Amino acid sequence: NAGVMQNPRHLVRRRGQEARLRCSPMKGHSHVYWYRQLPEEGLKFMVYLQKENIIDESGMPKERFSAEFPKEGPSILRIQQVVRGDSAAYFCASSPLRAPTGNTIYFGEGSWLTVV
Amino acid sequence: EDQVTQSPEALRLQEGESSSLNCSYTVSGLRGLFWYRQDPGKGPEFLFTLYSAGEEKEKERLKATLTKKESFLHITAPKPEDSATYLCAVLQGGADGLTFGKGTHLIIQP
């Protein structure tokens, strides 16, 4: 669990500002997933990325949300013009191969976004 | 329509009192069923992956089983440190993301 590094752990933004959440996958993992956990709800899949490619963004809201995983550096989830409904815990997960193929998916500790 | 349903939502047990948590699913082409443990303010911690009906896996006081419609997480002689929310998730055919249930909040009282 500790191998997937997310920062910041806690972030407060005013309505209309931008939020950037970073995720460094476990060493040797090239597949990154972002999930969102709203209060009193389960974890919801948002997007799946490999280096320099978005593979599946079926869970991403159509507006204001974007994700990238550049050749160098961490994966970034970007939320523009945040609204109070964006307040949630955002979790990054990584895997060495496209799941499940005998491997599993490990989660980071999460980034808690509060919009005021 | 919920594809992954966990029950009960909450469970309070005495230390040493064994029980089972249920995860029922309605997905096509199951590629894997995952169990995670989540402590407050933390990320999900991987416990087990099950791939086919009849499969069982064990780890310390936990044992996970899988049928074609549901999975059980059996907890034997639990201790207070087993208190957590237990999450079930499935990976279905054609999908890249896990579909999670809402979890079972387990409290073990000393």
Side-chain angles (χ1 to χ4, degrees):
Chain A
N1 206 15
V4 179
M5 304 303 293
Q6 290 188 247
N7 69 82
R9 291 294 317 281
H10 298 276
L11 182 64
V12 179
R13 285 287 178 264
R14 296 186 183 280
R15 282 178 292 172
Q17 291 185 319
E18 178 179 289
R20 286 195 178 211
L21 310 178
R22 296 174 186 77
C23 169
S24 296
M26 284 182 71
K27 187 176 181 180
H29 288 196
S30 59
H31 301 251
V32 166
Y33 312 79
W34 285 93
Y35 289 78
R36 177 167 65 173
Q37 189 171 40
L38 292 165
E40 307 306 321
E41 293 191 22
L43 281 152
K44 302 290 186 185
F45 167 75
M46 299 180 75
V47 62
Y48 162 47
L49 310 101
Q50 295 179 26
K51 285 284 188 181
E52 300 185 277
N53 287 298
I54 297 174
I55 307 301
D56 181 352
E57 55 182 350
S58 58
M60 284 279 271
K62 299 300 181 192
E63 298 178 348
R64 302 186 297 107
F65 285 72
S66 62
E68 62 178 14
F69 190 15
K71 186 177 181 180
E72 302 291 337
S75 175
I76 295 175
L77 180 67
R78 181 184 179 199
I79 311 171
Q80 295 178 291
Q81 300 174 343
V82 297
V83 300
R84 287 208 171 128
D86 297 332
S87 295
Y90 292 82
F91 291 96
C92 173
S94 73
S95 65
L97 298 173
R98 193 165 188 168
T101 57
N103 295 280
T104 193
I105 304 167
Y106 293 91
F107 283 79
E109 295 287 75
S111 290
W112 265 258
L113 172 66
T114 301
V115 180
V116 297
Chain B
E1 180 183 351
D2 288 338
Q3 294 178 297
V4 181
T5 304
Q6 292 188 246
S7 61
E9 291 184 11
L11 181 62
R12 188 182 297 265
L13 300 172
Q14 292 294 126
E15 183 173 0
E17 181 184 359
S18 301
S19 188
S20 296
L21 313 182
N22 178 263
C23 171
S24 62
Y25 60 93
T26 54
V27 298
S28 58
L30 181 73
R31 291 163 57 203
L33 185 140
F34 298 71
W35 281 99
Y36 289 86
R37 167 193 171 130
Q38 187 175 26
D39 293 297
K42 302 285 188 179
E45 177 186 345
F46 171 73
L47 295 174
F48 304 107
T49 308
L50 302 168
Y51 295 104
S52 56
E55 190 174 0
E56 299 182 352
K57 290 191 176 175
E58 287 188 67
K59 179 182 178 181
E60 297 181 352
R61 295 179 292 282
L62 300 176
K63 178 181 177 180
T65 62
L66 180 65
T67 72
K68 289 185 178 179
K69 293 183 178 181
E70 59 191 349
S71 176
F72 290 94
L73 185 66
H74 307 279
I75 302 177
T76 302
K79 299 181 179 181
E81 53 261 42
D82 294 322
S83 298
T85 295
Y86 289 85
L87 302 173
C88 171
V90 299
L91 187 65
Q92 58 182 306
D96 292 297
L98 296 172
T99 301
F100 279 86
K102 292 186 177 181
T104 293
H105 182 49
L106 177 66
I107 298 174
I108 308 299
Q109 294 179 311

